[in-house]
């Protein structure tokens, strides 16, 4: 029974949403009731396709033309479903804002970021161009976008997925709305930026009484932010209550399944910074946070200050798998010339700066780091989708950087990638079945249509997609369903190496758990090697053998999974680990994270990589890359100053 709220900001009653499709009528939302009070945060959770987004898109009047909506959606007592488009536009963007799930499709591709943001202020608040620009700049800085002034003149395609998401959040907050509907607002964000964004949203509702609806599959975020939770399944709410009641006393089997599917970092036999374990002998409790930390050690100063290939390429070993090394990367560099204006001087963007590692058959290497750290660029350079500036990429003894086009095509049958943005990587004019069959036409041309259809159906089943979706188009599927299509398509050629670039970031926890289990099964069955790129450290912990931490194109720490989480050494790694949300309301709200001085800088900034060496910054060249030191066996750490000297005052 839903708790009745007096004078709610939003009151949805008996809302029903139906879609007319080629396969018949789809009942997306079936008579739901929702109430949100001023200053309250309501969490709406459920699997992909359960109707979460459709409920609130209906409230905003943003459904497709084949939708039929009945019921009432009252905003301060006014039924939004009865308003004309002009009347609705006076409310949307000003008094009600929505952060959309997919920033690439929500932003206009041919307009600069600044133009799109200023349009909101000039439409709703009649601001001058100068004042609007200053307000936009301030909000881009609030959401921690490096070089915010420069971003205003860029187009959406020039920003990373995480940066586009932050732009969407800034746009939604420009007018300080009375109701903020956040649809997976932190899906594409790394944990430190996520923490900052959640702080901003919490401040907005606390200081301005903003009502917040948080649609998410991240139960850690729900535990931190939400006052009440409503669990949605197949268009209906199956459980609702206070955050504590749902987490500690879930009654519905579906709710319990969601909570059990959440990946939780556990380090056996060690004091984990996430578990709140007891400190080992010699450990210490940092006064700036509640987690237990090892006593920090000061990195030794290298004998020579100059940056070299050896600094980032020690003997970084893979696993001891007897099948040997499949992939060997040495001193890999990718640079881009950047020119901000017609008459400005060209500068060099060092996106990947001298990275090296080995990957064995059957091994999983996790790669983590904040948006803009070069993770995706590294993946594309390994696959030769972009040309490395220098360095070596060796695949089973073959040097790829000097390979012919024919050799590269053979390599790409063995090596596939699942991209971060599923909608941008799927052809919108092709059905799901045709998209998945395309790799078979290229790499196995001898298969007939019936054989291809069987292979497609089998793979769809393995990744949790209904065969009924085979004739649907990408825009007819949810974000999580499209992500599963991308994974299935990549696996069609049965590769030996699969690079997953945020491959499960858009998936709800139950499907995420299924996909991670699937990847483990495929790895065991075929000896598949994985490079798993993610900002979600809990997921990386779940799948990885070793973890590589990147900061501005270089490696700051590389260790086995358990070593990295049990005793993170580099301040940046410690900051990331401390920011991972814990799916437990009491623990999560009692924690305080490590906050370092400064923030993620731009790789264009002179000396940006010396952020963690302030004591020596003036004596080192601006392009110096901190050297890696083997602190423990197979545990490499970039040189840095002690943690205490880097904390915010």
């Amino acid at each position: 029974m839903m708790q009745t709220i007096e004078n709610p900001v939003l009151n949805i009653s008996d809302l029903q949403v139906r879609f007319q499709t080629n396969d018949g009528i789809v009942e997306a939302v079936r008579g739901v009731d929702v109430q949100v009070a001023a200053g309250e945060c309501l969490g709406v959770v459920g699997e992909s396709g359960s109707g979460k987004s459709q409920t609130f898109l209906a409230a905003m009047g943003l459904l497709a033309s084949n939708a039929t909506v009945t019921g009432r959606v009252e905003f301060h007592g006014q039924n939004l479903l009865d308003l004309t488009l002009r009347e609705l536009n006076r409310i949307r963007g000003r008094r009600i804002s929505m952060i959309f799930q997919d920033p690439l499709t929500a932003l206009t591709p041919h307009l600069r970021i600044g133009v799109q943001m200023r349009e909101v202020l000039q439409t709703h608040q009649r601001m001058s161009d100068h004042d609007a620009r200053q307000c936009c700049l301030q909000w881009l800085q609030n959401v921690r976008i490096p070089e915010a002034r420069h971003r205003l003149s860029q187009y959406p395609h020039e920003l990373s997925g995480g940066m586009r998401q932050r732009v969407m959040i800034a746009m939604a907050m420009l007018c300080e709305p009375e109701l903020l509907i956040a649809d997976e607002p932190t899906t594409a964000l790394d944990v430190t930026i996520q923490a900052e964004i959640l702080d901003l949203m919490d401040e907005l509702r606390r200081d301005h009484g903003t009502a917040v609806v948080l649609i998410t599959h991240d139960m850690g975020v729900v535990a931190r932010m939400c006052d009440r939770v409503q669990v949605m399944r197949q268009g209906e709410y199956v459980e609702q209550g206070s955050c504590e009641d749902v987490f500690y006393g879930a009654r519905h089997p579906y709710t319990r399944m969601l909570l059990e599917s959440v990946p939780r970092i556990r380090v056996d036999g060690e004091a984990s910074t996430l578990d709140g374990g007891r400190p080992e002998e010699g450990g210490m409790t940092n006064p700036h946070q509640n987690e237990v930390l090892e006593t920090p050690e000061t990195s030794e100063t290298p004998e020579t200050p100059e940056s070299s290939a050896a600094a980032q390429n020690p003997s970084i070993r893979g696993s001891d798998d007897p099948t040997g090394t499949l992939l060997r990367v040495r001193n890999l560099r990718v640079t881009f010339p950047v020119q901000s204006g017609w008459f400005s001087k060209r500068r060099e963007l060092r996106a990947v700066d001298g990275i090296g590692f080995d990957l064995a058959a059957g091994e999983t290497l996790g790669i983590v780091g904040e948006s803009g750290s070069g993770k995706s660029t590294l993946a594309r350079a390994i696959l030769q989708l972009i040309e490395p500036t220098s360095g070596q990429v060796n695949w089973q003894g073959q040097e790829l950087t000097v390979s012919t086009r024919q050799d590269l095509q053979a390599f790409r049958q063995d090596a596939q990638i699942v991209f971060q943005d599923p909608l941008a990587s799927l052809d919108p004019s092709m059905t799901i079945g045709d998209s998945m069959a395309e790799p078979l036409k290229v790499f196995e041309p001898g298969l007939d249509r019936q054989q291809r259809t069987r292979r497609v159906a089998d793979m769809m089943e393995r990744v949790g997609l209904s065969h009924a979706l085979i004739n649907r188009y990408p825009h007819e599927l949810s974000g999580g369903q499209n992500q599963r299509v991308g994974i299935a398509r990549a696996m069609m050629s049965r590769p030996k190496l699969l690079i997953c670039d945020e491959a499960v970031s858009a998936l709800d926890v139950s499907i995420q758990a299924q996909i991670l289990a699937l990847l483990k099964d495929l790895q065991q069955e075929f000896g598949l090697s994985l490079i798993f790129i993610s900002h979600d450290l809990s997921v990386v912990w779940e799948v990885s053998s070793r973890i590589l931490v990147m900061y501005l194109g270089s490696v700051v720490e590389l260790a086995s999974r358990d070593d990295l989480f049990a005793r993170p050494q580099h301040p940046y790694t410690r900051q990331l680990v401390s920011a991972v949300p814990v799916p437990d309301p009491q623990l999560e709200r009692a924690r305080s994270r490590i906050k370092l001085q400064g923030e993620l800088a731009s790789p264009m900034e002179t000396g940006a990589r010396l952020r963690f060496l302030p004591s020596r910054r003036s004596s080192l060249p601006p392009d110096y890359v901190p050297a890696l030191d083997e602190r423990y066996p197979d545990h490499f750490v970039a040189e840095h100053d002690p943690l205490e000297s880097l904390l915010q005052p």
Side-chain angles (χ1 to χ4, degrees), residues 546-618:
R546 290 183 301 147
I547 298 175
L548 182 150
V549 184
M550 289 183 67
Y551 180 80
L552 296 183
S554 60
V555 180
V556 296
E557 192 156 358
L558 174 63
S560 71
R561 178 197 69 177
D562 291 345
D563 280 352
L564 189 89
F565 283 103
R567 52 183 182 189
Q569 297 296 301
H570 197 276
Y572 179 64
T573 308
R574 294 186 178 193
Q575 182 188 36
L576 291 179
V577 171
S578 79
V580 177
V582 176
D584 183 305
Q586 293 180 0
L587 286 178
E588 175 60 22
R589 293 170 190 181
R591 297 170 70 230
S592 58
R593 65 184 186 278
I594 293 178
K595 296 184 179 181
L596 302 178
Q597 296 177 25
E599 58 184 58
L600 177 70
S602 166
M604 301 294 298
E605 183 181 323
T606 303
R609 291 166 180 79
L610 301 178
R611 173 186 173 189
F612 304 106
L613 277 172
S615 65
R616 298 173 51 208
R617 188 166 188 162
S618 60

Side-chain angles (χ1 to χ4, degrees), residues 435-485:
S435 288
M436 290 180 59
E438 190 175 30
L440 298 178
K441 294 178 181 178
V442 174
F443 297 122
E444 300 184 52
L447 296 178
D448 59 32
R449 183 180 181 85
Q450 189 175 13
Q451 290 172 317
R452 289 196 300 268
T453 301
R454 275 201 303 268
R455 289 271 293 273
V456 168
D458 178 64
M459 189 57 67
M460 289 181 70
E461 182 179 352
R462 297 199 71 178
V463 300
L465 285 169
S466 168
H467 188 262
L469 301 177
I470 195 166
N471 292 319
R472 299 272 185 93
Y473 290 89
H475 73 274
E476 297 180 290
L477 272 60
S478 68
Q481 287 171 329
N482 275 315
Q483 192 75 298
R484 279 176 271 167
V485 172

